[in-house]
């Protein structure tokens, strides 16, 4: 992603982990942004902050449980106090509900999934609206390719992510007149540590190589490969940047062509 696309901007990223969360922080920094990093794991935050600082950008770490209203308020206040402005918010934090059929899944577990995947993102977005309005900023919701299929056991996850998409679209309508854009990206499989572990697990279970499992999944995509975190993060950088200044209310699939939408 081109250097300078986010020069002088401040981007808040929730759900900073070893995969996409890290990629989002690093790619925003490479594009010139200072970043405010939020996650529950303080050690992980510090590691990613170190990478950002090596790129010459500022990193502010704020340990945050996004289901905790007070913690979210502290995140918003710290971001503004530390950086003086917020130009972008990336709602990346999520929780996967139990992968069980809707006819048998625990309703309380479904409700908990909505709390993290939808309501926490709404709470965080609302807290940052005044700052985003002041800068003509934008919000990006990280969604999922689960939007594009109705496979068994993914029902509760699809329900939450479909609600997140609807929320983003309505926020776009509400916030557009105030100069704030709201968009969504929907990745499929992302080739990072968690997926590598999962493919290793499947390979051992089936008595095949992890490469065979990868190849079988990659074969379902047009590009015959799975996107890496930086490639997904670059789509977010685009959405946050002036290049996307006329784009709002949209959902961009980043999946190497697995699904066409």
């Amino acid at each position: 992603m081109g250097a300078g696309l986010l020069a002088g901007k401040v981007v808040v990223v929730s759900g900073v982990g070893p995969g996409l969360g890290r990629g989002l922080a690093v790619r925003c920094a490479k594009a010139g942004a200072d970043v405010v990093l939020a996650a529950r794991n303080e050690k992980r935050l510090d590691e990613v902050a170190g990478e950002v600082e090596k790129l010459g950008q500022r990193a502010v770490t704020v340990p945050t449980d996004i289901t905790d209203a007070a913690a979210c308020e502290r995140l918003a206040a710290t971001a503004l106090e530390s950086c003086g402005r917020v130009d972008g918010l990336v709602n990346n934090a999520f929780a996967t509900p139990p992968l069980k059929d809707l006819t048998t899944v625990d309703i309380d577990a479904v409700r908990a999934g909505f709390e993290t995947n939808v309501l926490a993102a709404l709470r965080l977005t609302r807290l940052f609206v005044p700052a985003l309005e002041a800068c003509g900023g934008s919000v990006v919701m990280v969604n999922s390719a689960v939007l594009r299929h109705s496979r068994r056991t993914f029902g509760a996850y699809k329900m939450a992510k479909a609600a997140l998409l609807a929320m983003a679209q309505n926020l776009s309508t509400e916030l557009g007149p105030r100069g704030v854009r709201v968009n969504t990206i929907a990745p499929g499989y992302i080739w990072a540590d968690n997926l590598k572990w999962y493919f290793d697990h499947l390979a051992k279970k089936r008595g095949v190589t992890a490469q065979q499992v990868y190849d079988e999944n990659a074969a379902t995509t047009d590009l015959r490969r799975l996107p890496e975190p930086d490639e997904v993060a670059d789509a977010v950088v685009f959405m946050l940047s002036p290049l996307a200044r006329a784009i709002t209310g949209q959902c961009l699939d980043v999946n190497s062509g697995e699904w066409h939408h």
Side-chain angles (χ1 to χ4, degrees):
M1 181 58 66
L5 271 181
L6 300 180
K9 297 186 182 298
V10 175
V11 177
V12 179
V13 181
S14 74
V16 174
L20 180 57
R22 175 201 164 275
L24 289 165
V26 170
R27 298 306 282 182
C28 284
K30 282 189 174 180
D34 291 339
V35 293
V36 180
L37 308 173
R40 290 176 295 181
N41 189 319
E42 195 164 353
K43 182 174 180 289
R44 190 169 288 156
L45 287 176
D46 290 340
E47 289 170 356
V48 176
E51 290 191 71
V52 168
E53 287 163 355
K54 283 180 182 176
L55 294 168
Q57 298 302 136
R58 187 178 182 195
V60 177
T61 60
V62 188
T64 308
D65 178 350
I66 64 161
T67 63
D68 182 326
C72 290
E73 289 168 8
R74 185 171 62 252
L75 169 61
T78 302
L80 280 173
E81 288 166 11
S82 301
C83 303
R85 61 186 291 153
V86 172
D87 302 88
L89 169 64
V90 184
N91 282 301
N92 177 58
F94 75 101
T96 306
L99 298 179
K100 295 184 178 179
D101 285 346
L102 289 175
T103 51
T104 57
V105 70
D106 180 73
I107 294 294
D108 287 336
V110 176
R111 186 178 292 111
F114 269 78
E115 189 65 45
T116 300
N117 292 306
V118 186
L119 299 179
L122 176 58
R123 178 191 294 117
L124 208 54
T125 302
R126 283 162 51 153
L127 286 168
F128 279 102
V129 164
L132 293 168
E133 183 177 4
C135 295
S138 70
V139 181
V140 179
M141 308 288 185
V142 177
N143 208 294
S144 167
V146 73
L147 291 170
R148 309 299 177 216
H149 66 76
S150 298
R151 293 171 181 161
R152 285 188 63 170
T153 78
F154 284 91
Y157 193 33
K158 182 174 182 177
M159 285 170 62
K161 288 299 192 178
L164 181 65
L165 177 61
M167 184 183 84
Q169 291 169 337
N170 271 72
L171 282 171
S172 170
T173 298
E174 291 182 27
L175 298 178
R178 297 166 67 176
V180 178
R181 298 181 296 108
V182 184
N183 288 294
T184 297
I185 65 154
Y189 276 142
I190 302 174
W191 190 236
D193 287 349
N194 285 347
L195 186 62
K196 290 174 184 178
W197 176 90
Y198 179 57
F199 280 10
D200 283 341
H201 168 74
L202 290 179
K204 288 172 185 172
K205 196 172 176 181
R206 291 174 49 195
V208 298
T209 65
Q211 184 64 47
Q212 183 174 330
V213 176
Y214 178 95
D215 291 343
E216 288 169 1
N217 283 276
T220 68
T221 73
D222 295 339
L223 297 179
R224 299 298 190 267
R225 65 181 182 84
L226 304 181
E228 297 186 4
D230 284 357
E231 295 174 313
V232 178
D234 280 348
V236 175
V237 171
F238 164 71
M239 285 296 197
L240 292 170
S241 81
L243 292 179
R245 60 193 177 277
I247 300 173
T248 195
Q250 305 306 310
C251 179
L252 175 63
D253 290 15
V254 188
N255 59 23
S256 291
E258 181 179 11
W259 309 96
H260 292 181
H261 174 66

